[in-house]
Amino acid sequence: MKQHSMQRRTLLAGAAATGLAMASGGSWAQAAWPVKPVNLVVPFPAGGGTDAFARPLAAQFSKVTGKTLVIDNRGGAGGTVGASYAAKGAPDGYTLFMGAVHHAIAPSMYPKLDYDIEKDFIPLALLANVPQVLVVNPKAVPVGNFQQFLEHVKRNPAKLNYGSAGAGTSHHLAGELFKQQTGTFITHIPYRGAGPALQDLIAGNVDMMFDGLGSSATHIKSGRIKALMVSGSQRNPAFPDVPCAAEVGLPDYTVTTWYGLWAPKGTPADVQARIIEDIRRIGTADEIKAIWASNGADYGGMTQAQFAKFVSSEVRRWAQVVKAAGAKLD
């Protein structure tokens, strides 16, 4: 009888412990994350800069975790359509969002957003930093170097155009900043992502782009488009023959495209920690390092707290740029 009573107490204690774990967010189950495929919302169509980093990330994710990272491309409105969708995802670690610098710009360009990048998301990791590059269709803009290009633009005011990933993206503002600093005028043509804009650039339907190296790199190497300048004060190791902005007389022209990973607000802390650790392992893998380098990019390497501060600082910085440039939605 005594033995039966002890067994009963043991069973009750086990049931209570299980109930406590479930009540506290199911930490036992969460510790095993991921136990099923994870959805990664990429807020631009396939073929753009975000996609160029998301797909190698997904391939490495499968190797590290044994589960699939499903790329869910949802383009539109400068990346804000996909962001809005991701913000409403279940906060369980199975919906992640791969955003970019565009999402730090959006609050200043889109006054009626139905999400807040700082309040409705949890920043997890900075995935990549990549400089912007000025690229042209060599048939539409037959110039040999940046100086010839600048002379050509000045001789033909309002006759040339540039494609972008959408209004309010870094591609758009890079063009506005260029116009401001060179005293030139080129027409902005917004697309639903860098991929479609690049295809039209290659086809000759637009003259130029201010693109992230991540999406342009392959096409520059193939000769389909020509790189005339990378932003900033240093040449990029992946394209050592392309001069930097400081060299061509634009010392203050610095535009960097960065890509980051977020989870919907409410995602449990232990799940966040597991995601961050897996992403760190992925980002430091030799395969990813090689792909990032070929795209002219650096891995982020920030802590979660550092990334959160970085996002806030970028929201403030781009608000000032938008105001100074007078950039508006087309």
Side-chain angles (χ1 to χ4, degrees):
M1 188 73 177
K2 180 183 282 189
Q3 184 178 5
H4 177 74
S5 179
M6 288 178 64
Q7 288 176 339
R8 186 170 181 273
R9 284 198 298 271
T10 301
L11 287 170
L12 287 172
T18 301
L20 181 61
M22 292 177 66
S24 63
S27 59
W28 290 355
Q30 290 163 9
W33 181 96
V35 297
K36 62 180 181 179
V38 177
N39 195 50
L40 178 63
V41 179
V42 173
F44 294 101
T50 316
D51 217 52
F53 292 98
R55 294 192 181 275
L57 185 78
Q60 199 68 24
F61 183 90
S62 296
K63 294 179 182 179
V64 169
T65 68
K67 299 298 178 184
T68 303
L69 188 64
V70 180
I71 304 296
D72 184 2
N73 293 102
R74 292 179 179 267
T80 61
V81 170
S84 174
Y85 173 81
K88 300 172 181 64
D92 57 4
Y94 292 95
T95 293
L96 300 178
F97 173 63
M98 187 168 174
V101 58
H102 319 300
H103 297 93
I105 298 170
S108 299
M109 293 292 298
Y110 293 83
K112 295 182 180 180
L113 291 178
D114 65 350
Y115 71 91
D116 186 311
I117 192 65
E118 294 186 84
K119 295 179 181 178
D120 296 325
F121 286 98
I122 297 170
L124 298 174
L126 180 64
L127 299 175
N129 270 311
V130 58
Q132 290 264 356
V133 60
L134 167 58
V135 286
V136 299
N137 179 297
K139 294 180 180 179
V141 187
V143 297
N145 56 46
F146 177 82
Q147 293 303 334
Q148 291 177 9
F149 165 77
L150 188 58
E151 292 169 6
H152 179 65
V153 173
K154 287 184 175 180
R155 285 197 306 268
N156 297 279
K159 292 184 180 179
L160 283 82
N161 55 47
Y162 73 100
S164 82
T169 61
S170 63
H171 307 74
H172 174 199
L173 289 188
E176 295 302 310
L177 195 61
F178 178 84
K179 289 157 61 175
Q180 191 179 46
Q181 293 188 8
T182 59
T184 56
F185 185 82
I186 47 180
T187 303
H188 175 222
I189 309 294
Y191 286 79
R192 288 176 61 85
L198 263 174
Q199 290 307 311
D200 259 16
L201 175 64
I202 293 167
N205 296 324
V206 290
D207 300 315
M208 70 191 80
M209 275 186 72
F210 299 86
D211 193 28
L213 265 175
S215 48
S216 279
T218 301
H219 306 297
I220 295 170
K221 291 173 182 176
S222 71
R224 287 190 287 265
I225 56 178
K226 183 178 180 62
L228 298 178
M229 172 192 74
V230 292
S231 71
S233 59
Q234 293 182 333
R235 295 193 180 201
N236 190 275
F239 296 90
D241 296 332
V242 181
C244 67
E247 291 178 87
V248 299
L250 298 173
D252 298 323
Y253 188 81
T254 301
V255 183
T256 300
T257 298
W258 52 262
Y259 302 94
L261 188 69
W262 284 262
K265 180 183 178 181
T267 301
D270 56 344
V271 175
Q272 293 177 44
R274 179 61 189 270
I275 295 169
I276 291 168
E277 174 56 23
D278 283 344
I279 292 298
R280 185 197 64 76
R281 291 169 62 195
I282 291 169
T284 54
D286 289 341
E287 185 177 345
I288 287 294
K289 286 181 178 179
I291 294 171
W292 264 222
S294 70
N295 287 337
D298 296 318
Y299 179 67
M302 291 183 180
T303 65
Q304 185 178 21
Q306 288 171 335
F307 180 45
K309 289 181 180 178
F310 173 71
V311 172
S312 295
S313 68
E314 283 286 274
V315 170
R316 294 193 299 272
R317 182 172 84 90
W318 283 106
Q320 295 172 352
V321 172
V322 169
K323 184 177 180 180
K328 300 183 185 299
L329 296 177
D330 294 295

mmCIF file with all atom_site columns, all heavy atoms in Angstrom, residues 281-296:
data_model
loop_
_atom_site.group_PDB
_atom_site.id
_atom_site.type_symbol
_atom_site.label_atom_id
_atom_site.label_alt_id
_atom_site.label_comp_id
_atom_site.label_asym_id
_atom_site.label_entity_id
_atom_site.label_seq_id
_atom_site.pdbx_PDB_ins_code
_atom_site.Cartn_x
_atom_site.Cartn_y
_atom_site.Cartn_z
_atom_site.occupancy
_atom_site.B_iso_or_equiv
_atom_site.pdbx_formal_charge
_atom_site.auth_seq_id
_atom_site.auth_comp_id
_atom_site.auth_asym_id
_atom_site.auth_atom_id
_atom_site.pdbx_PDB_model_num
ATOM 1   N N   . ARG A 1 281 ? 26.605 30.495 -35.592 1.00 0.00 ? 281 ARG A N   1
ATOM 2   C CA  . ARG A 1 281 ? 27.330 29.352 -36.158 1.00 0.00 ? 281 ARG A CA  1
ATOM 3   C C   . ARG A 1 281 ? 27.305 29.408 -37.690 1.00 0.00 ? 281 ARG A C   1
ATOM 4   O O   . ARG A 1 281 ? 28.308 29.118 -38.354 1.00 0.00 ? 281 ARG A O   1
ATOM 5   C CB  . ARG A 1 281 ? 26.709 28.053 -35.667 1.00 0.00 ? 281 ARG A CB  1
ATOM 6   C CG  . ARG A 1 281 ? 26.930 27.782 -34.189 1.00 0.00 ? 281 ARG A CG  1
ATOM 7   C CD  . ARG A 1 281 ? 26.062 26.622 -33.705 1.00 0.00 ? 281 ARG A CD  1
ATOM 8   N NE  . ARG A 1 281 ? 26.382 25.375 -34.388 1.00 0.00 ? 281 ARG A NE  1
ATOM 9   C CZ  . ARG A 1 281 ? 25.606 24.301 -34.368 1.00 0.00 ? 281 ARG A CZ  1
ATOM 10  N NH1 . ARG A 1 281 ? 24.435 24.338 -33.725 1.00 0.00 ? 281 ARG A NH1 1
ATOM 11  N NH2 . ARG A 1 281 ? 25.965 23.202 -35.000 1.00 0.00 ? 281 ARG A NH2 1
ATOM 12  N N   . ILE A 1 282 ? 26.159 29.784 -38.235 1.00 0.00 ? 282 ILE A N   1
ATOM 13  C CA  . ILE A 1 282 ? 26.031 29.888 -39.690 1.00 0.00 ? 282 ILE A CA  1
ATOM 14  C C   . ILE A 1 282 ? 26.929 31.005 -40.235 1.00 0.00 ? 282 ILE A C   1
ATOM 15  O O   . ILE A 1 282 ? 27.641 30.824 -41.223 1.00 0.00 ? 282 ILE A O   1
ATOM 16  C CB  . ILE A 1 282 ? 24.562 30.145 -40.076 1.00 0.00 ? 282 ILE A CB  1
ATOM 17  C CG1 . ILE A 1 282 ? 23.715 28.903 -39.790 1.00 0.00 ? 282 ILE A CG1 1
ATOM 18  C CG2 . ILE A 1 282 ? 24.435 30.557 -41.547 1.00 0.00 ? 282 ILE A CG2 1
ATOM 19  C CD1 . ILE A 1 282 ? 22.220 29.137 -39.878 1.00 0.00 ? 282 ILE A CD1 1
ATOM 20  N N   . GLY A 1 283 ? 26.891 32.158 -39.567 1.00 0.00 ? 283 GLY A N   1
ATOM 21  C CA  . GLY A 1 283 ? 27.640 33.321 -40.043 1.00 0.00 ? 283 GLY A CA  1
ATOM 22  C C   . GLY A 1 283 ? 29.144 33.152 -39.991 1.00 0.00 ? 283 GLY A C   1
ATOM 23  O O   . GLY A 1 283 ? 29.874 33.816 -40.747 1.00 0.00 ? 283 GLY A O   1
ATOM 24  N N   . THR A 1 284 ? 29.626 32.292 -39.124 1.00 0.00 ? 284 THR A N   1
ATOM 25  C CA  . THR A 1 284 ? 31.072 32.086 -38.996 1.00 0.00 ? 284 THR A CA  1
ATOM 26  C C   . THR A 1 284 ? 31.551 30.859 -39.777 1.00 0.00 ? 284 THR A C   1
ATOM 27  O O   . THR A 1 284 ? 32.736 30.530 -39.737 1.00 0.00 ? 284 THR A O   1
ATOM 28  C CB  . THR A 1 284 ? 31.468 31.936 -37.516 1.00 0.00 ? 284 THR A CB  1
ATOM 29  O OG1 . THR A 1 284 ? 30.681 30.889 -36.907 1.00 0.00 ? 284 THR A OG1 1
ATOM 30  C CG2 . THR A 1 284 ? 31.216 33.238 -36.756 1.00 0.00 ? 284 THR A CG2 1
ATOM 31  N N   . ALA A 1 285 ? 30.647 30.183 -40.490 1.00 0.00 ? 285 ALA A N   1
ATOM 32  C CA  . ALA A 1 285 ? 31.030 29.030 -41.306 1.00 0.00 ? 285 ALA A CA  1
ATOM 33  C C   . ALA A 1 285 ? 31.823 29.492 -42.527 1.00 0.00 ? 285 ALA A C   1
ATOM 34  O O   . ALA A 1 285 ? 31.540 30.543 -43.117 1.00 0.00 ? 285 ALA A O   1
ATOM 35  C CB  . ALA A 1 285 ? 29.786 28.267 -41.752 1.00 0.00 ? 285 ALA A CB  1
ATOM 36  N N   . ASP A 1 286 ? 32.826 28.719 -42.913 1.00 0.00 ? 286 ASP A N   1
ATOM 37  C CA  . ASP A 1 286 ? 33.688 29.094 -44.041 1.00 0.00 ? 286 ASP A CA  1
ATOM 38  C C   . ASP A 1 286 ? 32.894 29.288 -45.331 1.00 0.00 ? 286 ASP A C   1
ATOM 39  O O   . ASP A 1 286 ? 33.197 30.176 -46.129 1.00 0.00 ? 286 ASP A O   1
ATOM 40  C CB  . ASP A 1 286 ? 34.761 28.023 -44.258 1.00 0.00 ? 286 ASP A CB  1
ATOM 41  C CG  . ASP A 1 286 ? 35.806 28.011 -43.149 1.00 0.00 ? 286 ASP A CG  1
ATOM 42  O OD1 . ASP A 1 286 ? 35.915 29.027 -42.441 1.00 0.00 ? 286 ASP A OD1 1
ATOM 43  O OD2 . ASP A 1 286 ? 36.505 26.986 -42.997 1.00 0.00 ? 286 ASP A OD2 1
ATOM 44  N N   . GLU A 1 287 ? 31.869 28.460 -45.537 1.00 0.00 ? 287 GLU A N   1
ATOM 45  C CA  . GLU A 1 287 ? 31.061 28.555 -46.751 1.00 0.00 ? 287 GLU A CA  1
ATOM 46  C C   . GLU A 1 287 ? 30.355 29.906 -46.852 1.00 0.00 ? 287 GLU A C   1
ATOM 47  O O   . GLU A 1 287 ? 30.345 30.545 -47.910 1.00 0.00 ? 287 GLU A O   1
ATOM 48  C CB  . GLU A 1 287 ? 30.032 27.421 -46.772 1.00 0.00 ? 287 GLU A CB  1
ATOM 49  C CG  . GLU A 1 287 ? 29.214 27.358 -48.052 1.00 0.00 ? 287 GLU A CG  1
ATOM 50  C CD  . GLU A 1 287 ? 28.250 26.179 -48.064 1.00 0.00 ? 287 GLU A CD  1
ATOM 51  O OE1 . GLU A 1 287 ? 28.411 25.258 -47.237 1.00 0.00 ? 287 GLU A OE1 1
ATOM 52  O OE2 . GLU A 1 287 ? 27.342 26.184 -48.908 1.00 0.00 ? 287 GLU A OE2 1
ATOM 53  N N   . ILE A 1 288 ? 29.780 30.345 -45.737 1.00 0.00 ? 288 ILE A N   1
ATOM 54  C CA  . ILE A 1 288 ? 29.094 31.643 -45.725 1.00 0.00 ? 288 ILE A CA  1
ATOM 55  C C   . ILE A 1 288 ? 30.098 32.777 -45.873 1.00 0.00 ? 288 ILE A C   1
ATOM 56  O O   . ILE A 1 288 ? 29.857 33.753 -46.599 1.00 0.00 ? 288 ILE A O   1
ATOM 57  C CB  . ILE A 1 288 ? 28.267 31.806 -44.425 1.00 0.00 ? 288 ILE A CB  1
ATOM 58  C CG1 . ILE A 1 288 ? 27.020 30.922 -44.480 1.00 0.00 ? 288 ILE A CG1 1
ATOM 59  C CG2 . ILE A 1 288 ? 27.865 33.269 -44.201 1.00 0.00 ? 288 ILE A CG2 1
ATOM 60  C CD1 . ILE A 1 288 ? 25.998 31.315 -45.535 1.00 0.00 ? 288 ILE A CD1 1
ATOM 61  N N   . LYS A 1 289 ? 31.233 32.687 -45.196 1.00 0.00 ? 289 LYS A N   1
ATOM 62  C CA  . LYS A 1 289 ? 32.262 33.721 -45.315 1.00 0.00 ? 289 LYS A CA  1
ATOM 63  C C   . LYS A 1 289 ? 32.677 33.916 -46.768 1.00 0.00 ? 289 LYS A C   1
ATOM 64  O O   . LYS A 1 289 ? 32.846 35.044 -47.238 1.00 0.00 ? 289 LYS A O   1
ATOM 65  C CB  . LYS A 1 289 ? 33.483 33.354 -44.475 1.00 0.00 ? 289 LYS A CB  1
ATOM 66  C CG  . LYS A 1 289 ? 33.307 33.515 -42.973 1.00 0.00 ? 289 LYS A CG  1
ATOM 67  C CD  . LYS A 1 289 ? 34.591 33.153 -42.258 1.00 0.00 ? 289 LYS A CD  1
ATOM 68  C CE  . LYS A 1 289 ? 34.482 33.333 -40.757 1.00 0.00 ? 289 LYS A CE  1
ATOM 69  N NZ  . LYS A 1 289 ? 35.739 32.944 -40.063 1.00 0.00 ? 289 LYS A NZ  1
ATOM 70  N N   . ALA A 1 290 ? 32.840 32.812 -47.498 1.00 0.00 ? 290 ALA A N   1
ATOM 71  C CA  . ALA A 1 290 ? 33.257 32.881 -48.897 1.00 0.00 ? 290 ALA A CA  1
ATOM 72  C C   . ALA A 1 290 ? 32.182 33.537 -49.766 1.00 0.00 ? 290 ALA A C   1
ATOM 73  O O   . ALA A 1 290 ? 32.490 34.373 -50.626 1.00 0.00 ? 290 ALA A O   1
ATOM 74  C CB  . ALA A 1 290 ? 33.578 31.484 -49.425 1.00 0.00 ? 290 ALA A CB  1
ATOM 75  N N   . ILE A 1 291 ? 30.908 33.180 -49.523 1.00 0.00 ? 291 ILE A N   1
ATOM 76  C CA  . ILE A 1 291 ? 29.804 33.757 -50.303 1.00 0.00 ? 291 ILE A CA  1
ATOM 77  C C   . ILE A 1 291 ? 29.670 35.242 -50.009 1.00 0.00 ? 291 ILE A C   1
ATOM 78  O O   . ILE A 1 291 ? 29.509 36.063 -50.914 1.00 0.00 ? 291 ILE A O   1
ATOM 79  C CB  . ILE A 1 291 ? 28.488 33.022 -50.007 1.00 0.00 ? 291 ILE A CB  1
ATOM 80  C CG1 . ILE A 1 291 ? 28.572 31.566 -50.509 1.00 0.00 ? 291 ILE A CG1 1
ATOM 81  C CG2 . ILE A 1 291 ? 27.300 33.726 -50.664 1.00 0.00 ? 291 ILE A CG2 1
ATOM 82  C CD1 . ILE A 1 291 ? 27.405 30.703 -50.083 1.00 0.00 ? 291 ILE A CD1 1
ATOM 83  N N   . TRP A 1 292 ? 29.754 35.592 -48.752 1.00 0.00 ? 292 TRP A N   1
ATOM 84  C CA  . TRP A 1 292 ? 29.645 37.008 -48.364 1.00 0.00 ? 292 TRP A CA  1
ATOM 85  C C   . TRP A 1 292 ? 30.775 37.816 -49.023 1.00 0.00 ? 292 TRP A C   1
ATOM 86  O O   . TRP A 1 292 ? 30.543 38.893 -49.554 1.00 0.00 ? 292 TRP A O   1
ATOM 87  C CB  . TRP A 1 292 ? 29.720 37.147 -46.845 1.00 0.00 ? 292 TRP A CB  1
ATOM 88  C CG  . TRP A 1 292 ? 28.420 37.235 -46.097 1.00 0.00 ? 292 TRP A CG  1
ATOM 89  C CD1 . TRP A 1 292 ? 28.148 38.085 -45.062 1.00 0.00 ? 292 TRP A CD1 1
ATOM 90  C CD2 . TRP A 1 292 ? 27.230 36.436 -46.256 1.00 0.00 ? 292 TRP A CD2 1
ATOM 91  N NE1 . TRP A 1 292 ? 26.872 37.865 -44.589 1.00 0.00 ? 292 TRP A NE1 1
ATOM 92  C CE2 . TRP A 1 292 ? 26.280 36.870 -45.303 1.00 0.00 ? 292 TRP A CE2 1
ATOM 93  C CE3 . TRP A 1 292 ? 26.873 35.412 -47.111 1.00 0.00 ? 292 TRP A CE3 1
ATOM 94  C CZ2 . TRP A 1 292 ? 25.008 36.313 -45.186 1.00 0.00 ? 292 TRP A CZ2 1
ATOM 95  C CZ3 . TRP A 1 292 ? 25.607 34.845 -47.007 1.00 0.00 ? 292 TRP A CZ3 1
ATOM 96  C CH2 . TRP A 1 292 ? 24.701 35.301 -46.066 1.00 0.00 ? 292 TRP A CH2 1
ATOM 97  N N   . ALA A 1 293 ? 32.004 37.280 -48.982 1.00 0.00 ? 293 ALA A N   1
ATOM 98  C CA  . ALA A 1 293 ? 33.157 37.981 -49.557 1.00 0.00 ? 293 ALA A CA  1
ATOM 99  C C   . ALA A 1 293 ? 32.989 38.172 -51.061 1.00 0.00 ? 293 ALA A C   1
ATOM 100 O O   . ALA A 1 293 ? 33.316 39.236 -51.613 1.00 0.00 ? 293 ALA A O   1
ATOM 101 C CB  . ALA A 1 293 ? 34.438 37.208 -49.261 1.00 0.00 ? 293 ALA A CB  1
ATOM 102 N N   . SER A 1 294 ? 32.450 37.160 -51.755 1.00 0.00 ? 294 SER A N   1
ATOM 103 C CA  . SER A 1 294 ? 32.253 37.264 -53.207 1.00 0.00 ? 294 SER A CA  1
ATOM 104 C C   . SER A 1 294 ? 31.209 38.317 -53.543 1.00 0.00 ? 294 SER A C   1
ATOM 105 O O   . SER A 1 294 ? 31.203 38.874 -54.653 1.00 0.00 ? 294 SER A O   1
ATOM 106 C CB  . SER A 1 294 ? 31.833 35.911 -53.795 1.00 0.00 ? 294 SER A CB  1
ATOM 107 O OG  . SER A 1 294 ? 30.516 35.557 -53.395 1.00 0.00 ? 294 SER A OG  1
ATOM 108 N N   . ASN A 1 295 ? 30.322 38.610 -52.598 1.00 0.00 ? 295 ASN A N   1
ATOM 109 C CA  . ASN A 1 295 ? 29.302 39.648 -52.778 1.00 0.00 ? 295 ASN A CA  1
ATOM 110 C C   . ASN A 1 295 ? 29.750 41.004 -52.231 1.00 0.00 ? 295 ASN A C   1
ATOM 111 O O   . ASN A 1 295 ? 28.955 41.939 -52.150 1.00 0.00 ? 295 ASN A O   1
ATOM 112 C CB  . ASN A 1 295 ? 28.000 39.237 -52.088 1.00 0.00 ? 295 ASN A CB  1
ATOM 113 C CG  . ASN A 1 295 ? 27.267 38.138 -52.831 1.00 0.00 ? 295 ASN A CG  1
ATOM 114 O OD1 . ASN A 1 295 ? 27.458 37.966 -54.026 1.00 0.00 ? 295 ASN A OD1 1
ATOM 115 N ND2 . ASN A 1 295 ? 26.439 37.389 -52.131 1.00 0.00 ? 295 ASN A ND2 1
ATOM 116 N N   . GLY A 1 296 ? 31.016 41.078 -51.831 1.00 0.00 ? 296 GLY A N   1
ATOM 117 C CA  . GLY A 1 296 ? 31.542 42.333 -51.304 1.00 0.00 ? 296 GLY A CA  1
ATOM 118 C C   . GLY A 1 296 ? 31.018 42.693 -49.930 1.00 0.00 ? 296 GLY A C   1
ATOM 119 O O   . GLY A 1 296 ? 31.006 43.859 -49.543 1.00 0.00 ? 296 GLY A O   1
#
